[in-house]
Amino acid sequence: MLGIQLPKNLGDVLYAFRFRIALPDSITDTQPDGMEWVIELAGKAVYRFRLVKFNRVLPREDLVRIEIPDATPELIRAYALDDEQALLAIVRYNRLIGTFLGLTTYSLQNHLRTTVKGVGQIEIDELYVGLDKHGCHYVIPVQAKGGSDQIGIVQISQDIRFVEDKFPGMRCRAIAAQFMDDNIIALFELTLQDDEVKVVEERHYRLVPAKKLNQNAIRDYRD
């Protein structure tokens, strides 16, 4: 007997190393310069290591913070059960996905569990559909991270593969949302380019009471 105390939920170990904590030194020491190991799904209950250029998407510290009047009902803030649930609700009530993308968007389903060919079972935090002024339709998978969790490129890649598999006739705009300090929400649009996840755009939104909006900033916000 090795005397190793097993965790109550083995799945939490995989989740933690995929999205929350660093891999052990014995693994990271084998990484070539400029590359990182990630653990990705390779079928039902099958995982594999893969080398990528970066593993996490982290908010920048030098971006302008765009003030948005806070439309979150106080009752929702009072009873949200965790950071992820709270973030999804806040994004939804403040219509941040549509604001960020410049589309008319609608929440289609929360915590969608599904399977993707060649990947296995995945979970998408929230799935939106959208429409632009030309009538083009979009599928918008959203991953939300709060607390110590970080945005992992593996989940984003899985979301994009899901849209390609299930909605081949629609355009995909994959989104990640991250709680920051001072009531700020970072939103990222991400895409796959040469089989690597790339950041298309990043914006930071601060939710404030309407009376505290900076009137000069409202006038000056522009591309």
Side-chain angles (χ1 to χ4, degrees):
M1 298 292 291
L2 297 176
I4 298 173
Q5 186 175 0
L6 295 177
K8 293 181 180 179
N9 186 343
L10 288 174
D12 283 346
V13 176
L14 269 171
Y15 183 89
F17 281 120
R18 294 180 77 203
F19 308 121
R20 188 172 292 150
I21 61 177
L23 291 165
D25 291 342
S26 58
I27 295 177
T28 59
D29 287 346
T30 68
Q31 296 173 170
D33 290 341
M35 303 293 284
E36 297 181 47
W37 286 113
V38 296
I39 303 172
E40 63 180 14
L41 277 165
K44 186 175 181 181
V46 177
Y47 296 86
R48 66 185 171 204
F49 283 91
R50 185 165 72 93
L51 283 168
V52 297
K53 289 185 178 178
F54 70 98
N55 184 21
R56 301 281 192 266
V57 179
L58 302 176
R60 290 169 52 183
E61 297 295 333
D62 60 341
L63 287 189
V64 169
R65 296 167 179 179
I66 303 168
E67 291 186 352
I68 298 289
D70 191 355
T72 311
E74 289 296 322
L75 201 62
I76 297 299
R77 289 190 180 275
Y79 290 103
L81 298 179
D82 56 41
D83 279 346
E84 180 185 299
Q85 180 183 359
L87 180 53
L88 289 169
I90 289 169
V91 167
R92 191 182 317 118
Y93 279 105
N94 288 279
R95 306 186 67 85
L96 291 182
I97 300 299
T99 298
F100 177 55
L101 294 177
L103 302 174
T104 300
T105 59
Y106 303 90
S107 175
L108 183 65
Q109 186 170 344
N110 292 47
H111 297 289
L112 170 64
R113 290 189 178 182
T114 184
T115 57
V116 178
K117 185 178 179 181
V119 176
Q121 186 180 70
I122 69 168
E123 181 174 344
I124 298 173
D125 290 338
E126 189 154 7
L127 190 68
Y128 284 74
V129 290
L131 182 72
D132 68 16
K133 64 181 180 180
H134 303 290
C136 183
H137 290 200
Y138 299 81
V139 179
I140 306 160
V142 177
Q143 292 290 345
K145 298 298 179 186
S148 61
D149 287 358
Q150 296 178 337
I151 300 164
I153 65 165
V154 171
Q155 281 182 307
I156 303 302
S157 177
Q158 290 174 175
D159 290 355
I160 295 172
R161 302 295 188 200
F162 159 79
V163 175
E164 292 173 346
D165 187 37
K166 305 295 185 183
F167 300 93
M170 299 174 70
R171 294 184 63 180
C172 177
R173 309 236 358 222
I175 301 295
Q178 175 80 59
F179 265 144
M180 298 176 65
D181 295 332
D182 197 23
N183 209 27
I184 295 170
I185 296 170
L187 290 184
F188 303 82
E189 182 182 357
L190 302 124
T191 191
L192 280 176
Q193 187 176 74
D194 300 327
D195 205 34
E196 292 183 359
V197 173
K198 301 289 187 181
V199 177
V200 177
E201 187 173 11
E202 175 184 354
R203 295 286 176 97
H204 295 178
Y205 296 96
R206 175 188 280 130
L207 302 177
V208 299
K211 292 182 179 179
K212 294 185 178 181
L213 285 171
N214 183 327
Q215 297 302 315
N216 289 331
I218 291 172
R219 181 198 64 203
D220 293 338
Y221 282 146
R222 61 189 184 274
D223 291 334

